[in-house]
Amino acid sequence: MSKSSIDFDVIVPIYNCEDYLERCLHSLITSRNNFINIILVDDGSTDKSGEIADKYAAMYSNVSVIHKENGGLSSARNAGLAGIKGTYFTFVDPDDWVSKNYFTSVAEELSTHEVDILMVPYSRIYSDIKLDTFVFSNKISIFDEVKTRDIVMRRLYGVINSELNNPLTVDNLSTAWAKFYKTDKFSEIKFTAKSKIYSEDLWFNINCFLRAKSSEYFNKPKYYYFKENENSIVHTYNANMLDQYKRLYSQMHDYIIEYELDEKFLKALNNRIVINELIILRNIVMSNKNSFFKYRMIRNVLSDPMYANAYKKFSFDKLPQNYRFFYKCCKYRLSAIIYLMLVVGEQLKTKIKQ
């Protein structure tokens, strides 16, 4: 495949992000825009985001806007997918941005290695620090069909063995952004609503990598993930998160059976269940509910039979000492200690940078 024959559809789901949107769009426009088609999906914004999107569409011929009623992130991305026509498609969130050589370097790489899915590193951006994230180390890695399933897709399922040394990296590969998907292979795969399975990106990627014949981790371009947008959905309390995750885990387990995936997938999924318990507990502590409510909900989560089963098969040996202590408290349902740890942890989270 020649570089000149490669073009990209860039889907940007937009909802009430007027403070960040122009930064995002400027980065896309200045990233060699003669071979990218930018699809802005205004998901019923009530601020000036829709107007900003219209302004850019009027200024640039390769920018188009879809205005729709609010339906959530998956609905917005699916609306964008309906109009793609390029060689590859990718996603950029409206509070994030990309490096100046993002698309040119990817096009050059894909002209050499025509893989089904190309992954790139990203940086987590805070007000005072930038933290680079490399999932498969800071080097180019090319995976054939077997390795795409055994290494990449397994990593999507969860962390195992020495990967547990950094447990909170469990979702470093799960995002839909910072990836390029071959259109003729994956355009028919749609996102499932967050309200059903919580991690819509993870489930989308599992379905894509399951079908991929090849993939690559390319270490040169950068995606910049903005971590301090307090209006982001990751900062919103979700009372149904546990049930949503349980549906996701059930579907992931069904795939292990249906596609005869090996024991590593079962181990990875079990570890994910344990590690992601922290996300659910943090969601409770970050809510605006009173302390009695939070304590009661933490106790309910810790008592869920899913966790009792998961901890029976979970090894603490590879965890760092602080996480080992936290998850052992979870295993033994020490609700008061967990509550105090989470409260202190939220107060220190700007220093932890996770």
Side-chain angles (χ1 to χ4, degrees), residues 94-113:
D95 49 353
D96 302 338
W97 64 97
V98 300
S99 58
K100 192 168 185 178
N101 68 335
Y102 193 66
F103 297 102
T104 52
S105 58
V106 166
E108 289 172 358
E109 184 65 15
L110 289 172
S111 69
T112 303
H113 301 114

Side-chain angles (χ1 to χ4, degrees), residues 88 114-118 180-182 185-186 212-214:
Y88 288 82
E114 186 184 345
V115 294
D116 286 350
I117 304 174
L118 186 139
F180 291 78
Y181 306 86
K182 186 174 283 188
K185 289 284 186 73
F186 308 110
K213 301 297 183 183
S214 59

Side-chain angles (χ1 to χ4, degrees), residues 167-168 274-282 285 298 301-302 311 314 316 319-335 337-343 345:
L168 296 192
V274 170
I275 298 302
N276 277 359
E277 188 175 18
L278 174 58
I279 298 175
I280 298 168
L281 294 170
R282 284 190 66 213
V285 170
I298 287 172
V301 170
L302 296 176
Y311 279 112
F314 183 75
F316 294 88
L319 288 176
Q321 186 173 357
N322 54 337
Y323 288 104
R324 192 181 309 167
F325 177 73
F326 175 82
Y327 285 109
K328 283 194 174 182
C329 289
C330 290
K331 177 180 180 179
Y332 295 110
R333 305 175 188 178
L334 304 179
S335 304
I337 295 176
I338 291 295
Y339 184 24
L340 290 173
M341 291 178 68
L342 289 167
V343 170

